[in-house]
């Protein structure tokens, strides 16, 4: 066994000293403290308990990118041959070698076997009654007390190590650096934003359902149809096999009377219709708290989704989180949604990181008392999410693990669409980055958003009809639209050519002191649709909103209609769309956006240019062209 280790070490060109099982490698380390938190001088009490969980390295995870391309690249002979959930689970299940290596390590370190448990999906090793003293010894670290400005406290460390010989079996360990979650005591500041702002209270703008002359001051469903060639009365033929879901995080909620007012103007046959509620972890469409801030996102997403696919295709609503978790929420806990959809992803008691993700049954007063949803909710072909966190809000390993899960669901044929953010090249709250990772409004580095930064989802931005222009004139990129390059995720194969061309002809005027200019980073967004001056009804009033939030439900509707046609023809849903939309064959299906910038961090941001760019992506879609192209694929 030692010989094997020696060969490996030599192979890596490292120092050829005899490795001892006690040689530790730093596994995760942070240079900055998450926003709102500060370290209190105190060390954590040695006897305090930590719910230790070790996320095991998934088998074959390095092949995910290629496997996903294999079923979603139009040139592949396996196009559309999505995997069953069972096949995905088996293929990526951590190896027995990883399970035993980690258990052996813990036992050697003095943890009794009886306290060690393996999660349902064999992907997490959990230790019961684990104390700070044990964690400090086993992870070669020190735990300190951290406090949030709202008063909540947490135990966390700033780096941890594992023995070199088990490191390649481990993805991440919690709770360690992962403490940047919600304070339990008081309402937190919303870190993870729904991506919408009210731009005008436009009561006086009485929507006239078919008028296209005012699309610059109020985008309506007919404006979207005219802009992107979407049929007014789509023929739906495969509704029972098809599914389209909108995700909302409590307390964000739609109001029925608002939907009806919207439908009355734009799709009268839908008056009285509601999305099918799929409650996740006690999610409720609450009506106790009502204002623009909690209603515009859901009202918009559901109103446009249902109107654009029409009455023939039911729309689902994944309403995530109970009221106590939701109201204290700092980060949209995307993992809670993923846990509910994929049982092989969730841990026994749910959530990958109890400081970020919800814990159920919820101990808070009035909290959801049911068990954590774990693989028991229906998956949908298209999932639209208009919420996002800053890449810098979460640790890289946390994002990488979650991003892989989107890839696995892509293998199963699911399309995930995320908004790219509303602060140009800056993050939510106009925050930018210092080189040490600290976020500040005065910092110089661009701050992309998660999960649009993940190469296994479709990240979408916003365009606008220019003032005084019509839907028949070229749009430009909206200045709020989030775009740029990830500091964490590498350039995926399908995007290589687009980014190569971008740099060849339009290299941006910034260096590494502004953004990841390595030309090897995932570029954001993938494409865009209109997101400025969009009409929405909130509390009985018609107002205009702006944000990349508009894009996921509109694009979701387009993909859902394409899925309907494919399903009716006996084909698969389109699944992960990026390899197709970047392929040569699909070039003509997008209207290139060549005007507009996305300022932020004290700069003009990037510029929208010919071809793909980190402002508008590939441009805006043409439904009819996309439909033809996708109908020609197997
Ligand atoms: C990170 O860098 C900024 C700017 O130089 C500095 O103000 C801040 O204290 C640093 N944070 C840490 C945790 O080192
Ligand atoms: C949005 O609408 C306002 C009027 O409410 C108008 O002044 C502005 O030019 C519009 N923006 C765009 C981009 O068309
Ligand atoms: C830029 O992206 C590449 C590819 O993901 C990565 O290896 C590199 O560390 C990133 N650089 C910075 C400064 O974040």
């Amino acid at each position: 066994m030692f010989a094997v280790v020696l060969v490996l070490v030599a192979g890596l060109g490292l120092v050829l000293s005899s490795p001892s099982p006690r040689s530790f490698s730093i596994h995760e380390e942070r240079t900055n403290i998450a926003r709102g938190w500060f370290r209190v001088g105190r060390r954590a009490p040695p006897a305090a308990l930590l719910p230790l969980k070790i996320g095991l390295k998934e088998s074959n995870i390095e092949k995910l990118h290629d496997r996903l391309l294999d079923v979603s690249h139009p040139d592949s002979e396996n196009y559309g041959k999505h995997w069953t959930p069972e096949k995905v689970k088996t293929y990526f299940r951590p190896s027995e070698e990883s399970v035993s290596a980690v258990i052996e390590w813990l036992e050697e370190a003095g943890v009794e076997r009886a306290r060690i448990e393996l999660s349902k999906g064999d992907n997490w090793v959990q230790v019961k009654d684990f104390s700070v003293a044990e964690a400090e010894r086993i992870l070669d670290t020190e735990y300190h007390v951290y406090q949030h400005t709202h008063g909540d406290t947490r135990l966390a460390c700033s780096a941890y190590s594992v023995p070199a010989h088990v490191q390649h079996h481990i993805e991440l360990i919690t709770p360690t650096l992962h403490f940047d979650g919600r304070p339990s005591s008081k309402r937190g500041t919303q870190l993870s934003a729904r991506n919408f702002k009210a731009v005008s209270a436009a009561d006086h703008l009485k929507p006239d359902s078919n008028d296209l002359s005012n699309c610059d001051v109020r985008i309506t469903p007919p404006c979207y149809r005219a802009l992107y060639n979407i049929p007014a009365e789509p023929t739906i033929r495969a509704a029972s096999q098809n599914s389209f879901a909108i995700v909302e995080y409590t307390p964000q909620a739609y109001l029925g009377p608002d939907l009806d007012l919207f439908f009355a103007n734009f799709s009268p046959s839908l008056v009285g219709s509601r999305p099918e509620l799929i409650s996740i972890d006690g999610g409720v469409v609450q009506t106790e708290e009502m204002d623009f801030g909690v209603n515009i996102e859901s009202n918009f997403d559901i109103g446009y989704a249902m109107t654009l696919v029409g009455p023939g295709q039911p729309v689902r609503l994944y309403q995530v989180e109970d009221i106590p978790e939701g109201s204290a929420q700092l980060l949209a806990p995307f993992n809670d949604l993923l846990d509910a959809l994929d049982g092989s992803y969730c841990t026994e008691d749910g959530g990958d990181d109890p400081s970020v993700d919800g814990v159920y049954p919820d101990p808070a007063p009035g909290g959801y008392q049911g068990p954590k949803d774990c693989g028991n909710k229906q998956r949908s072909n298209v999932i639209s999410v208009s919420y996002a966190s800053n890449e810098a809000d979460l640790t890289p390993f946390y994002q990488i693990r979650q991003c892989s899960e989107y890839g696995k669901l892509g293998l199963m044929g699911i399309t995930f669409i995320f908004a790219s953010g509303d602060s140009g090249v800056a993050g939510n709250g106009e925050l930018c980055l210092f080189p040490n990772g600290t976020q500040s409004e005065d910092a110089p580095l661009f701050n992309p958003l998660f999960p649009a930064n993940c190469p296994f989802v479709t990240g979408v931005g916003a365009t606008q009809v220019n003032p005084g222009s019509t839907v028949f004139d070229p749009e430009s990129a909206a200045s709020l639209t989030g775009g740029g390059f990830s500091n964490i995720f590498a350039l995926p194969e399908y995007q290589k050519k687009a980014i190569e061309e971008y740099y060849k002809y339009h290299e941006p005027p910034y260096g590494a002191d502004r953004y990841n200019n390595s030309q090897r980073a995932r570029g954001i967004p993938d494409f865009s649709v209109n997101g400025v001056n969009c009409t929405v009804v909130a509390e009985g009033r018609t107002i205009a909103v702006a944000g990349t939030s508009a894009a996921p439900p509109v694009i979701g509707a387009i993909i859902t209609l394409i899925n309907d046609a494919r399903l009716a023809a006996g084909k698969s849903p389109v699944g992960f769309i990026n390899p197709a939309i970047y392929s040569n064959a699909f070039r003509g299906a997008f209207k290139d956006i060549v005007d507009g910038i996305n300022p932020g961090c004290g700069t003009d941001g990037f510029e929208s240019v010919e071809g793909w760019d980190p402002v508008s992506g590939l441009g805006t879609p043409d439904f009819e062209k996309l439909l033809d192209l996708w109908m020609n694929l197997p």
Side-chain angles (χ1 to χ4, degrees), residues 248-540:
E248 302 293 346
Y249 287 91
T250 312
Q252 299 287 323
Y254 75 82
L255 290 175
D258 286 347
L259 283 189
D260 283 340
L261 265 176
F262 184 81
F263 292 151
N265 279 306
F266 302 113
S267 42
S269 64
L270 280 169
V271 172
S273 301
R274 300 291 178 259
E276 178 201 347
L277 175 64
I278 298 183
S279 164
I280 292 177
D281 298 334
V284 285
V285 180
Q286 61 85 25
T287 51
E288 271 156 42
E289 195 184 339
M290 288 192 268
D291 62 45
F292 285 1
V294 297
N295 299 129
I296 50 173
E297 181 69 61
S298 301
N299 284 355
F300 181 97
D301 296 347
I302 295 161
Y304 281 80
M306 290 178 70
T307 299
L308 292 175
V309 295
Q313 174 61 57
V315 170
R316 291 174 175 168
L317 166 62
Y318 291 134
Q319 184 77 39
V320 190
E321 304 295 354
D322 67 0
I323 287 178
E325 284 281 357
S327 335
Q329 187 173 296
L330 284 178
L331 293 157
F334 300 117
N335 274 331
D336 289 335
L337 170 69
L338 295 172
D339 288 341
L341 301 180
D342 182 3
S344 76
Y345 185 65
C346 60
T347 60
E348 213 80 341
D349 55 354
D352 283 350
D353 180 346
S355 61
V356 176
D357 308 320
V359 174
Y360 295 98
D362 183 351
Y368 170 64
Q369 290 309 307
K372 161 91 192 160
D373 281 316
C374 177
N376 54 330
K377 300 293 175 179
Q378 303 100 300
R379 287 183 272 267
S380 301
N381 292 335
V382 174
I383 300 181
S384 153
V385 194
S386 295
Y387 298 74
S389 305
N390 294 349
E391 191 177 77
D393 289 336
L394 297 158
T395 66
F397 283 16
Y398 181 89
Q399 292 175 68
I400 290 166
R401 190 174 178 94
Q402 190 176 111
C403 178
S404 299
E405 179 63 14
Y406 293 120
K408 290 195 254 169
L409 290 163
L411 266 177
M412 297 181 209
I414 297 176
T415 311
F416 268 98
I417 307 167
F418 284 93
S420 68
D422 287 357
S423 303
V425 291
N428 289 329
E430 311 294 330
L431 293 169
C432 302
L433 296 169
F434 285 116
N436 63 14
T438 299
Q439 300 185 69
S440 158
E441 284 174 49
D442 314 317
L445 287 159
F446 301 167
N447 195 1
L449 270 76
F450 174 76
N453 62 349
C454 163
F456 304 147
V457 306
T458 302
V460 291
T463 54
Q464 64 181 29
V465 172
N466 294 317
S469 294
T470 74
V471 288
F472 307 107
D473 300 314
E475 289 187 88
S476 57
S479 63
L480 56 76
T481 200
F485 296 89
S486 173
N487 293 315
I488 295 178
F489 292 102
L491 179 61
E493 188 64 41
Y494 63 77
Q495 209 179 28
K496 274 194 176 143
K497 208 164 151 232
I499 295 219
E500 217 174 83
E501 275 177 33
Y502 172 69
Y503 274 98
K504 189 165 166 196
Y505 301 111
H506 307 284
E507 181 152 4
Y510 309 114
D513 54 337
R514 287 290 182 189
Y515 80 106
N516 190 333
N517 68 342
S518 64
Q519 310 195 19
R520 289 185 292 109
R522 150 82 166 149
I524 310 157
D526 294 305
F527 64 106
S528 303
V529 296
N530 194 294
V532 175
N533 284 347
C534 304
T535 303
V536 60
V537 177
E539 290 179 89

Side-chain angles (χ1 to χ4, degrees), residues 199-200 202 205 215-218 464-468 532-533 544:
V199 288
S200 71
L205 295 174
C215 293
D216 56 337
V217 283
R218 49 180 165 129
Q464 64 181 29
V465 172
N466 294 317
V532 175
N533 284 347

Side-chain angles (χ1 to χ4, degrees), residues 214-237:
N214 279 320
C215 293
D216 56 337
V217 283
R218 49 180 165 129
I219 287 288
T220 58
C223 300
Y224 276 120
R225 292 190 189 110
L227 282 165
Y228 310 125
N229 225 351
I230 307 170
E233 283 166 19
T235 335
I236 299 289
R237 284 167 299 167

Side-chain angles (χ1 to χ4, degrees), residues 66-79:
D66 290 356
R67 295 282 82 84
L68 188 55
L69 253 62
D70 187 51
V71 298
S72 41
H73 196 288
D75 294 344
S76 164
E77 59 185 26
N78 292 320
Y79 183 83

Side-chain angles (χ1 to χ4, degrees), residues 169-207:
H169 296 297
I170 293 172
E171 280 183 5
L172 81 176
I173 301 181
T174 72
T176 49
L177 323 187
H178 308 268
F179 74 109
D180 44 345
R182 66 186 75 75
S184 57
S185 45
K186 295 211 187 79
R187 194 186 174 83
T189 44
Q190 202 90 15
L191 290 194
S192 137
R194 64 187 157 72
N195 291 291
F196 257 147
K197 305 170 181 158
V199 288
S200 71
D203 270 313
H204 57 287
L205 295 174
K206 288 278 170 274

Side-chain angles (χ1 to χ4, degrees), residues 89-103:
K89 182 179 170 183
T90 309
Y91 189 75
F92 295 103
R93 188 200 298 269
S95 68
E96 279 171 30
E97 190 200 343
S98 295
V99 174
S100 52
V102 167
I103 292 179

Side-chain angles (χ1 to χ4, degrees), residues 1-10 16-23 108 165:
M1 180 187 146
F2 258 47
V4 173
V5 174
L6 268 173
V7 169
L8 279 177
V9 169
L16 261 177
S17 69
S18 166
S20 99
R22 290 272 160 266
S23 86
E108 271 169 25
H165 73 281

